[in-house]
Amino acid sequence: MGGVILPCTDPQQWGPSIDAAVDAVSRGAVVVLPTDTVYGVGADAFNPAAVAAVLAAKGRGRQMPPPVLIPDVRTVDGLARDVPAPARALMEACWPGALTVIVNAQPSLAWDLGETGGTVALRVPSHDAALALLRRTGPLAVTSANRTGEPAATTASAAQSQLGDAVAVYLDAGDSPLGVASTIVDATGERLRIVREGGIARAELAVIVGEDALAGDDG
């Protein structure tokens, strides 16, 4: 049935499980981790072979690069450049949370996430186990833990049934709190553009940055 499922619900007891996931990431293996939205499948964002293994596990090509999960907003400036003020306001207000922001990547970064067009999608998940892992691994390239075309997994066992032995370690923290994907906002254009509405509604974003900062529904 593939990689091992390890319990990750109690901070007092999840140390060995996090250790195993950190070890897997450090050797370039693929892990499944809980987040606030749905379970994610991920690997070291700076290991191109590991990122390729994440995409292969999903059955996805390089034309759909994975987002990058980070431990806190302070990590942004090491990975992104020219972050517009409205995007930064959303990050400060919504992170940790169900918001992914597409920004221009630092050109000097030695990573290969796929065909990104020089951008990177960043998110700080609102999930204690995920943050505990990210604080030790650094940025992880993470996408929803499912085969492309199948529903996103909201439990570790559902992820395992789809991804099997393509994943070394599954961290099991029970049901995903939200069970829906994050909202994705593209901050690389003149105005913020909502690419996908998910865990945070457009109306909430408009309250934070003002309607004028958001592109219309026609793009």
Side-chain angles (χ1 to χ4, degrees):
M1 278 297 291
V4 61
I5 292 184
L6 300 175
C8 205
T9 51
D10 182 355
Q12 302 299 316
Q13 299 177 351
W14 71 30
S17 300
I18 298 288
D19 287 347
V22 170
D23 179 67
V25 169
S26 69
R27 65 174 191 268
V30 176
V31 298
V32 159
L33 64 151
T35 79
D36 45 335
T37 55
V38 296
Y39 273 75
V41 57
D44 180 357
F46 293 98
N47 182 330
V51 174
V54 169
L55 295 176
K58 273 188 74 84
R60 174 178 283 187
R62 287 174 52 80
Q63 73 280 7
M64 295 184 71
V68 173
L69 294 187
I70 56 178
D72 60 60
V73 71
R74 292 171 299 182
T75 311
V76 169
D77 290 319
L79 305 178
R81 60 181 175 85
D82 305 328
V83 178
R88 209 173 281 278
L90 288 184
M91 293 171 178
E92 295 284 356
C94 298
W95 283 355
L99 177 72
T100 299
V101 183
I102 301 171
V103 289
N104 291 305
Q106 286 282 5
S108 60
L109 289 175
W111 63 9
D112 180 9
L113 299 171
E115 295 171 14
T116 64
T119 66
V120 63
L122 299 175
R123 185 166 93 85
V124 179
S126 181
H127 194 288
D128 289 344
L131 292 173
L133 178 63
L134 288 162
R135 289 187 192 109
R136 291 184 54 191
T137 61
L140 295 178
V142 177
T143 183
S144 58
N146 56 281
R147 293 285 296 174
T148 296
E150 298 295 320
T154 57
T155 64
S157 58
Q160 188 190 45
S161 69
Q162 292 192 52
L163 302 174
D165 58 8
V167 173
V169 172
Y170 293 82
L171 294 179
D172 182 2
D175 292 345
S176 302
L178 275 179
V180 295
S182 65
T183 294
I184 301 176
V185 172
D186 185 343
T188 63
E190 291 283 312
R191 298 163 81 191
L192 302 178
R193 183 172 64 87
I194 297 174
V195 178
R196 177 184 75 193
E197 195 162 327
I200 297 178
R202 178 196 171 91
E204 295 178 63
L205 303 180
V207 167
I208 297 163
V209 297
E211 190 64 44
D212 288 348
L214 293 173
D217 291 331
D218 57 358

